[in-house]
RNA sequence: GCGAGCGUGGCGAAACCGGUAGACGCAGCGGACUUAAAAUCCGUUCGCCGCAAGGCGGUGCGGGUUCAACUCCCGCCGCUCGCACCA
């Protein structure tokens, strides 16, 4: 008996697959009616080398891709590189390497590593977003979007990262700090290129409902991000204001003595209004602050609080009376005070609210703190209006309106409609829909990105680059000796002539946010080598949407929302025929690979391979000194809790890595990489090979009739094998890879247990081994091919199709029914599957183990759940 | 603070629709083979009582619904993730 040698076997089969071209997607014509399956993992950023933690995502996608192909689908399973981005520039600055060289070197290294994993990828479609052959088309689409009105420029307050010298999206600001640099973000005004995501706000929200193969969690997060709400704008006239406040020269709202514009979702509670509150950075607050040191101090205090939600959350609700009085829209004699308050956000709605304390907890806390009077206006169902009162808990749900003049007696819903009607009649307000979603600022003041194809002409203004001049290629001879954008400093690149008037002009030096690159790559894969267009419309329409997308939860909002926007924009600009506009029909968000962390006695992080267990304690290999074992965390270079993929594959093989990352935990949950777990996977590989080798060829072909006398243990093995086919098929369909793995172990245990060389045993073993080989093929493709060959089959298990369970064998002929008395298990009986209820009942009542418990009383009821359980109720 | 999710042996977990709780793996224990070790194989492993047959208890805690609850409902406790005091 020889050991299974992955070092020979794995490269052999990879070469054979490549030679056979079996992983190439077929054209729609070649596919001839086969259904299509587009399986995609979120493409990697080429950061350097990959470790085993990265492999889980690709392995999951690969299992699905191989499974679909075996089931007769025309599968597209491509791979590419999200290759623009800041780390390349950082490497350039730190080590004096060119971003391009650094990126392409990393791509070459990572490509080889991914190939070692034996992924069933159509490498003929490989793309890199930093390649002019890719971003050329992105520039063309940018121009098309521009023409369509989906791109515009706007002077905007932006988050400026002073370290990276770039603009950050709101989404890229974490706790007031840049998400990459960690530096506190500053505010600057810049002319920015914008994508009009809000044009699709409603559609992006509505269609979420139909994405029923997305995790609810992700849909909820996107829905919250879009943040649609229905409400009203209300204009409050100034009744009195400090003398220093000038009258407005502009007539714009929210300035000086113009009416104050407020947004509310609850106009029904207007008669419960107690005060107005403005954001600390509301223009009116600032105007007052210019004259009142106490207000200025309050504004400064709020600004120092930071933008972190946790900070604001823990902060006490505070405000200051601005000395302005406004008139209630429904009663000119009713005056309300105007305050500035730290819980009002300038970035949402109009930056001003009216406080209705009985119906809003924050307003109530605020009113209580400053002694502002209020009364309840919404009566909860069943409450008595004579005695109902609100003291320190607001009532925020629907009810009946009272204390509210013409709104009295209406429901919350009707009162909202009625109040808006009245506001419109009085010219004091209007219905409005508010979104939290804002347009996407795509300008980045960076070198290593896709140049924005625009030209600034002194006479013609901003002019698009003509299509014939694309791509606008990045110059390669740049220097990183100063902070900021090297494109600005380049001696010649930005100087050009205007395509309109031929006059002197300069190129746009902003490049596109890298989220743009990843917003359409899935479409490029459908026609990756097309030199003339982003993709052929027919090909993209054939393959899209992606049938199964696999990636991390961290992309729940940004990447997935931008891709949904982009697909709609591509559709509306005529690039795509895709009615729904949805790029990803089904989404799976996978858990990470985690590992213990190790610290040396001197406090340095240690690689797992630099430590060992000695006398039950972990020590440093080099010094023998004890190691501090830290938290189990996501594998990361910085904490050194990584296992190198190449070394692991050399030691154990790709199949062991693939098997292990899917085996122990449900795919959506994190899995801990442990030496013990790896050993288990390794043993399994050896065990399967030993069984296959011992059996050898030939194994029974599909459908081959068994020898006579098939019964007993051999028959039982056949039953289990066919049941396993069913179970494992269902488990893969349902993304329960860990369950599929467990079923494989079960089957192997059973095969090993059936001894003897009677024809029936040989047949049963051979058949079970053939089925097992096919079932493990998506998980451990190299081992499966070697087994397939050993069992006498050719050419590939990968092209052999998916096994079918014989229904007669897969179905159990008899079942063991537990018998309960009053819900407690007292015995069991073996009956034919589907046995008649009366028969089962009689057997159960006659069961000797049950008898003593029946004596305790009278049998009141016997519940028979066919093929599951019998419960006898005795009382 | 709000929203979502989770909580099962020594550990990772399974139980898909309310129907035998703990499949499968890891670790442990006992044994076989071996001069020995590794590898492999066999047995065993939720707790308590019992020689055994068997019994009792058990899925974070407290209630409830049901013939039957890890699963459904109500209220707590703990952990994780997300966030926007969103008017």
């Amino acid at each position: 008996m020889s050991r299974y040698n992955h070092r020979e076997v794995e490269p052999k089969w990879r070469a054979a697959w490549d030679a056979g071209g079996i992983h190439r997607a077929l054209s729609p014509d070649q596919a001839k009616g086969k259904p299509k399956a587009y399986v995609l993992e979120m493409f990697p950023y080429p950061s350097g080398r990959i470790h085993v933690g990265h492999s889980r995502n690709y392995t999951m996608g690969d299992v699905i891709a191989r499974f679909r192909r075996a089931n007769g689908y025309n599968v597209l399973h491509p791979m590419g590189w999200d290759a623009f981005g800041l780390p390349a520039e950082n490497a350039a600055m730190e080590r004096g390497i060119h971003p391009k060289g650094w990126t392409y070197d990393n791509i070459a290294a990572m490509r080889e590593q991914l190939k070692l994993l034996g992924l069933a990828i159509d490498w003929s479609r490989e793309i890199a977003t930093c390649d002019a052959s890719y971003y050329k088309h992105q520039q063309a689409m940018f121009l098309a979007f521009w023409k369509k009105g989906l791109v515009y420029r706007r002077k905007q307050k932006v988050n400026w990262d002073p370290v990276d010298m770039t603009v950050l999206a709101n989404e890229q600001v974490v706790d007031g700090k840049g998400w990459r640099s960690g530096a506190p973000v500053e505010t600057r005004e810049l002319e920015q290129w914008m994508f009009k995501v809000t044009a699709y706000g409603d559609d992006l929200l509505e269609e979420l409902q139909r994405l029923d193969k997305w995790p609810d969690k992700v849909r909820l997060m996107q829905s919250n991000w879009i943040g649609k709400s229905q409400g009203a704008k209300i204009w409050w006239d100034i009744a009195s204001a400090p003398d220093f406040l000038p009258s407005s020269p502009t007539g714009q709202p929210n300035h000086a003595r113009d009416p104050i514009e407020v947004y509310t979702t609850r106009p029904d509670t207007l008669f419960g209004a107690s005060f107005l509150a403005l954001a600390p950075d509301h223009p009116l607050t600032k105007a007052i602050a210019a004259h009142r040191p106490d207000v200025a101090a309050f504004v400064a205090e709020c600004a120092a609080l930071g933008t972190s939600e946790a900070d604001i959350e823990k902060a006490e609700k505070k405000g200051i009376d601005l000395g302005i009085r406004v008139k209630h829209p429904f009663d000119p004699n009713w005056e309300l005070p105007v305050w500035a308050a730290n819980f009002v956000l300038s970035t949402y709605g109009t930056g001003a609210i009216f406080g209705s304390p009985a119906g809003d907890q924050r307003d109530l806390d605020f009113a209580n703190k400053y002694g502002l009077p209020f009364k309840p206006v919404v009566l909860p169902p069943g409450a008595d209006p004579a005695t109902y009162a609100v003291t320190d808990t607001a009532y925020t749900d629907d009810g009946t309106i009272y204390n509210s003049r013409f709104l009295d007696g209406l429901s919350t819903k009707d009162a909202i409609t009625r109040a808006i009607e009245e506001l419109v009649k009085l010219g004091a307000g209007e219905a409005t829909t508010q979104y939290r979603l804002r347009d996407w600022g795509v300008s980045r003041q960076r070198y290593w990105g896709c140049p924005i194809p625009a030209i600034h002409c002194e006479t013609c203004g901003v002019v698009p680059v003509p299509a014939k001049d694309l791509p606008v290629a990045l110059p390669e001879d740049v220097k990183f000796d100063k902070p900021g954008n090297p494109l600005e400093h380049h001696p010649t690149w930005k100087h050009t002539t205007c395509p309109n008037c031929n006059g002197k002009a300069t190129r746009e030096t902003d490049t596109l946010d890298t989220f743009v690159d990843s917003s359409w790559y899935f479409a490029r894969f459908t026609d990756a080598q097309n030199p003339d267009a982003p993709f052929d419309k027919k090909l993209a329409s054939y393959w899209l949407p992606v049938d199964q997308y696999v990636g991390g939860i961290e992309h729940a909002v940004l990447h997935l929302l931008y891709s949904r926007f982009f697909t709609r924009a591509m559709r509306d600009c005529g690039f795509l025929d895709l009615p729904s506009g949805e790029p990803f029909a089904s989404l799976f968000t996978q858990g990470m690979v985690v590992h213990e962390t190790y610290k040396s006695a001197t406090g340095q992080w240690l690689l797992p391979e630099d430590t060992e267990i000695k006398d039950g304690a972990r020590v440093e290999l080099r010094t023998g000194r004890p190691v501090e074992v830290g938290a189990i965390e996501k594998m990361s270079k910085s904490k050194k809790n990584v296992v190198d993929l190449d070394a692991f594959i050399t030691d154990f093989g790709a199949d062991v890595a693939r098997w292990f990352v899917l085996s122990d935990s449900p795919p959506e949950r994190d899995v801990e990489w442990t030496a013990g777990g790896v050993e288990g996977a390794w043993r399994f590989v050896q065990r399967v090979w030993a069984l296959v080798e011992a059996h050898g060829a030939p194994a029974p072909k599909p459908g081959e009739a068994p020898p006579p006398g098939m019964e007993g243990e051999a028959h039982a093995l056949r039953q289990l094998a066919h049941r396993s086919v069913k179970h494992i098929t269902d488990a893969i369909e349902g993304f329960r890879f860990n369950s599929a793995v467990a079923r494989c172990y079960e089957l192997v245990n059973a095969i090993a247990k059936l001894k003897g060389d009677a024809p029936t045993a040989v047949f049963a073993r051979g058949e079970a081994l053939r089925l097992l080989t096919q079932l493990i093929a998506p998980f451990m493709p190299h081992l499966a091919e070697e087994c397939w060959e050993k069992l006498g089959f050719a050419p590939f298990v990968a092209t052999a199709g998916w096994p079918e369970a014989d229904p007669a064998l897969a179905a159990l002929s008899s079942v063991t029914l537990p018998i309960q008395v009053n819900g407690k298990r007292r015995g069991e009986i073996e009956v034919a599957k589907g046995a008649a209820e009366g028969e089962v009942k009689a057997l159960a009542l006659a069961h000797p183990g049950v008898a003593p418990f029946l004596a305790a009383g009278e049998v009141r009821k016997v519940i028979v759940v066919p093929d599951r359980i019998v419960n006898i109720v005795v009382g």
Side-chain angles (χ1 to χ4, degrees), chain A residues 596-836:
Chain A
E596 279 182 335
T597 48
Y598 305 119
K599 252 186 188 173
S600 72
T602 49
Q604 263 114 28
W605 297 109
L606 294 174
L607 288 166
E609 69 221 46
D610 293 338
T611 72
E612 63 172 345
I613 303 271
K614 210 171 184 181
D615 303 327
R618 193 167 283 274
V619 297
E620 188 175 352
L621 212 53
R622 196 169 50 84
T623 61
R625 296 171 72 184
V627 164
E628 186 193 330
V629 178
I632 298 165
E633 293 189 55
K634 175 188 178 179
M635 280 194 181
S636 73
K637 274 188 199 165
S638 60
K639 302 237 168 119
K640 291 202 173 180
N641 58 340
V642 291
V643 175
D644 184 67
L645 186 68
D646 292 21
F648 185 84
I649 288 178
T650 304
D651 290 347
F652 293 94
D655 286 341
V656 171
R658 294 171 59 115
W659 187 252
F660 174 69
V661 292
L662 299 183
S663 65
D664 266 4
S665 288
E668 67 277 10
R669 226 181 282 178
D670 292 348
V671 65
E672 190 191 346
W673 185 277
T674 61
V678 168
E679 287 289 329
W682 165 259
R683 272 203 290 270
F684 181 70
V685 169
Q686 297 299 336
R687 201 157 179 234
V688 168
W689 175 247
L691 289 168
V692 167
E693 203 187 27
H695 186 278
K701 293 181 177 57
E704 191 174 318
M710 181 59 76
E711 58 185 20
E713 286 180 352
H715 183 65
L717 178 60
R718 293 198 73 202
Q719 289 182 308
L720 177 72
H722 284 266
R723 255 197 333 273
S724 298
V725 171
K726 194 179 174 313
H727 286 144
I728 291 165
T729 305
D730 291 349
I732 295 173
E733 283 292 356
F735 261 86
R736 296 190 308 274
F737 301 129
N738 55 324
S739 294
V741 164
R743 294 288 185 180
C744 290
Y745 277 111
E746 197 178 25
L747 180 57
V748 167
N749 288 343
I751 295 171
K753 220 164 200 148
L754 180 66
K755 305 290 183 194
D757 47 11
T760 50
V762 171
F763 181 93
R765 266 203 305 273
E767 182 189 44
L769 286 169
R770 173 179 65 78
L771 293 173
L772 175 75
T773 299
Q774 290 182 275
L775 293 170
I776 62 171
F779 299 88
M780 300 199 283
H782 312 89
L783 171 67
E785 294 294 0
E786 191 71 5
C787 292
W788 196 243
E789 188 181 61
K790 192 78 192 172
L791 293 172
F793 299 104
F796 299 114
V797 67
T799 55
W802 195 246
E804 273 182 48
D806 179 338
L809 286 165
L812 292 163
S813 55
S814 69
V815 286
T816 305
L817 292 190
I819 304 164
Q820 296 183 332
V821 179
N822 290 342
K824 287 200 183 289
R825 190 174 158 279
R826 297 300 179 189
E828 54 186 43
I829 49 172
E830 179 101 1
V831 296
K833 195 172 154 68

Side-chain angles (χ1 to χ4, degrees), chain A residues 455-458 494-499 503-507:
Chain A
I455 289 168
H456 299 269
C457 169
E458 283 167 27
K494 74 173 178 180
H495 303 291
T496 183
T497 53
C498 172
K504 264 178 85 176
T506 55
R507 290 190 185 284

